[in-house]
């Protein structure tokens, strides 16, 4: 994996280097999302911070300094509540929403930036975001964490974003409140698996358990993929239950992928492009116990390295487009590239012996 990551970081680092900007007020580096026409979101900024931390470990250079600057930018732009705003698909003149996906997707990258660089800003931002999520726990069910403030339905992959964040916050703080919430969410998701359709979690359930929006391969992959880091925090009986659920969930995803995305297998229209769904291939590679399925996930990342060599950053251009000029883009090339870079970084850094560089010597 380190060899693959070394190839990939060399190929895409010039692109991210070209999007770094210097804030003349603070003299600190930040990232620009050129298609969004603004600073990159906190989530994607955290992803690229982890990418630069990984690049430093693999190749040396100033990656750690850049990673610390980007983590500080995330911390400075974090809302007083601890949440992060989501700048995508926002109507002109409206405030961007606070979304659990921004929190959950940043948790792993902030965790690894702290572990790799010692950034106090990365640690503080991660723990503050977990504090925010505690305020969003449903009063009806301790395992449900609201996707956005004021909503009254259950976005199931959002629950796992929360559990993943609580788990990382527990690792850094030792606060047992976070450990309790990890277990609440896993108990809830274990209980809800297959309740409406065998082998599936729907994307959204109403609080009475009925389906509001149907199945999603990509969001199911998010659940099983992000669960991996928190599973060791569960009691043995819960781990065993989750292993069985996860195995069936992965098999369902693979079977669904035999045909193109459809309303039955990818209900949200904006996710109907599995080729750029890196969380999907990460889940197949890192979670499945079946060699053929693991190879399916592994192969996609090696294919991506070859695609990069042939097509460059064009490979990240989203195929899903929206035709609403009064809204910010639902996704961008930068956002897809950042998701890929952050995924690669976390996959490698998860197994990294911190304190060593790629050659096994002290950092």
């Amino acid at each position: 994996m380190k060899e693959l990551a070394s190839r990939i970081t060399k190929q895409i680092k010039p692109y991210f280097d070209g999007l770094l900007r210097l804030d003349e007020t603070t003299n600190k580096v930040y990232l620009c999302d050129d298609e969004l026409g603004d600073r990159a979101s906190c989530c994607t900024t955290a992803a690229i911070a982890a990418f630069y931390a990984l690049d430093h470990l693999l190749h040396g250079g100033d990656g750690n300094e850049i990673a610390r600057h980007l983590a500080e930018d995330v911390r400075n732009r974090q809302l007083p509540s601890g949440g992060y705003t989501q700048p995508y698909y926002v109507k002109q003149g409206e405030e961007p929403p606070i979304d659990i996906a921004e929190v959950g997707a940043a948790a792993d990258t902030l965790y690894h930036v702290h572990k790799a660089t010692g950034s106090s800003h990365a640690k503080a931002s991660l723990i503050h975001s977990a504090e925010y999520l505690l305020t969003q726990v449903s009063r009806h069910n301790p395992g449900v964490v609201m996707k956005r403030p004021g909503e009254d339905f259950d976005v199931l992959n959002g629950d796992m974003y929360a559990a993943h964040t609580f788990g990382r916050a527990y690792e850094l703080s030792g606060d047992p409140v976070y450990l309790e919430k990890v277990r609440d969410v896993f108990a809830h998701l274990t209980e809800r698996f297959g309740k409406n359709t065998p082998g599936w979690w729907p994307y959204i359930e109403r609080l009475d358990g009925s389906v509001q929006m149907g199945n999603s391969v990509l969001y199911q992959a998010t659940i099983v993929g992000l669960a991996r880091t928190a599973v060791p925090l569960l009691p043995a009986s819960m781990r065993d239950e989750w292993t069985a659920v996860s195995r069936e969930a992965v098999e369902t995803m693979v079977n669904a992928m035999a045909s193109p995305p459809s309303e039955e297998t990818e209900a949200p229209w904006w996710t109907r492009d599995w080729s750029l769904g890196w969380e999907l291939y990460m889940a197949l590679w890192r979670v499945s116990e079946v060699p053929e399925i693991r190879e399916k996930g592994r192969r996609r990342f090696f294919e991506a390295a070859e695609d990069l060599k042939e097509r460059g950053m064009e490979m990240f251009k989203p195929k899903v487009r929206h035709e609403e000029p009064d809204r910010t883009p639902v996704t961008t090339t930068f956002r897809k590239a950042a998701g890929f870079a952050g995924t690669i970084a976390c996959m490698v850094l998860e197994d990294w012996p911190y304190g060593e560089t790629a050659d096994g010597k002290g950092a």
Side-chain angles (χ1 to χ4, degrees):
M1 184 64 190
K2 286 183 183 178
E3 181 181 350
L4 172 65
S6 181
R7 288 171 55 195
I8 287 172
T9 52
K10 287 177 181 176
Q11 288 173 309
I12 61 179
K13 183 174 179 290
Y15 170 75
F16 293 123
D17 286 347
L19 294 173
L20 294 175
R21 303 287 186 270
L22 187 67
D23 187 318
E24 295 181 359
T25 302
T26 64
N27 207 35
K28 300 290 178 67
V29 169
Y30 69 92
L31 264 172
C32 174
D33 182 335
D34 51 353
E35 289 176 75
L36 189 62
D38 203 346
R39 287 192 183 222
S41 68
C42 287
C43 170
T44 52
T45 298
I48 303 309
F51 169 82
Y52 276 104
L54 174 63
D55 184 64
H56 171 79
L57 289 169
L58 291 171
H59 307 123
D62 60 357
N64 271 0
E65 181 181 1
I66 294 172
R68 284 190 285 263
H69 278 208
L70 295 180
E72 185 174 354
D73 182 59
V74 172
R75 179 64 175 139
N76 288 340
R77 290 192 291 140
Q78 189 170 19
L79 298 173
S81 66
Y84 308 122
T85 56
Q86 186 178 76
Y88 300 100
Y89 206 56
V90 179
K91 199 164 188 176
Q92 290 179 8
E94 294 183 354
E95 288 295 316
I98 307 169
D99 197 286
I100 200 171
E102 295 291 303
V103 172
D108 223 23
T109 49
L110 290 172
Y111 172 85
H112 285 297
V113 170
H114 170 68
K115 297 286 284 186
T117 74
S119 167
S120 60
H121 293 290
K123 179 179 178 179
S125 188
L126 170 56
I127 292 175
H128 196 195
S129 70
E131 292 169 354
Y132 162 72
L133 292 179
L134 289 175
T135 70
Q136 299 304 302
V137 175
S138 170
R139 66 182 186 277
H140 303 289
N141 185 330
V144 174
V145 185
M146 296 293 100
K147 179 176 170 62
R148 294 179 178 178
E151 293 183 340
D152 60 353
F153 47 81
D154 183 11
V155 179
L156 286 96
N157 79 310
D159 296 332
M160 183 54 75
Y161 273 128
H164 174 70
T165 304
F166 289 138
R168 287 312 199 191
Y170 173 73
E171 290 182 67
L172 294 185
S173 71
D175 189 333
V177 170
Y178 299 135
L179 181 60
E180 179 184 0
K181 295 316 300 176
V182 170
R183 295 172 178 177
D184 285 343
V185 173
F186 271 84
H188 170 64
L189 288 175
T190 299
E191 190 276 330
R192 293 312 304 162
F193 181 68
K195 280 292 187 289
N196 285 292
T197 306
W200 288 100
W201 287 285
Y203 172 39
I204 304 175
E205 288 184 341
R206 300 178 184 88
L207 294 181
D208 65 4
S210 61
V211 175
Q212 180 163 324
M213 184 175 282
N215 306 325
S216 167
V217 166
L218 277 183
Y219 289 145
Q220 183 142 308
T222 302
I223 293 174
V224 297
L226 290 181
R228 183 179 183 273
T229 63
V231 166
L233 302 176
L234 302 177
S237 60
M238 289 188 74
R239 286 200 305 269
D240 291 343
E241 285 184 292
W242 186 260
T243 297
V245 164
S246 179
R247 184 184 301 119
E248 186 177 348
V250 170
E251 290 174 356
T252 299
M253 287 153 44
V254 171
N255 290 336
M257 292 169 68
S259 301
S262 67
E263 181 67 31
E264 287 69 38
T265 61
E266 200 62 57
W269 63 267
W270 58 89
T271 55
R272 292 182 187 171
D273 177 15
W274 293 334
S275 67
L276 296 179
W278 307 111
E279 63 270 42
L280 169 57
Y281 300 100
M282 179 272 286
L284 299 184
W285 188 0
R286 308 254 310 167
V287 175
S288 179
E289 301 169 350
V290 179
E292 294 80 5
I293 295 177
R294 289 175 61 86
E295 175 58 21
K296 189 180 187 73
R298 189 197 73 89
R299 188 169 61 246
R300 178 65 190 122
F301 285 99
F302 279 83
E303 289 171 354
E306 292 303 309
D307 286 348
L308 274 168
K309 187 162 56 175
E310 294 178 12
R311 299 172 54 208
M313 302 308 292
E314 270 294 305
M315 70 166 281
F316 294 113
K317 188 173 183 178
K319 298 179 178 64
V320 176
R321 315 297 285 183
H322 73 90
E323 304 296 333
E324 298 180 62
D326 62 336
R327 290 183 180 268
T328 57
V330 68
T331 189
T332 64
T333 297
F334 169 79
R335 188 181 179 190
K336 289 294 185 184
F340 174 75
T343 299
I344 288 287
C346 289
M347 289 174 70
V348 177
L349 294 174
E350 183 64 22
D351 301 318
W352 194 281
Y354 285 111
E356 293 184 4
T357 52
D359 59 8
K361 298 178 181 178

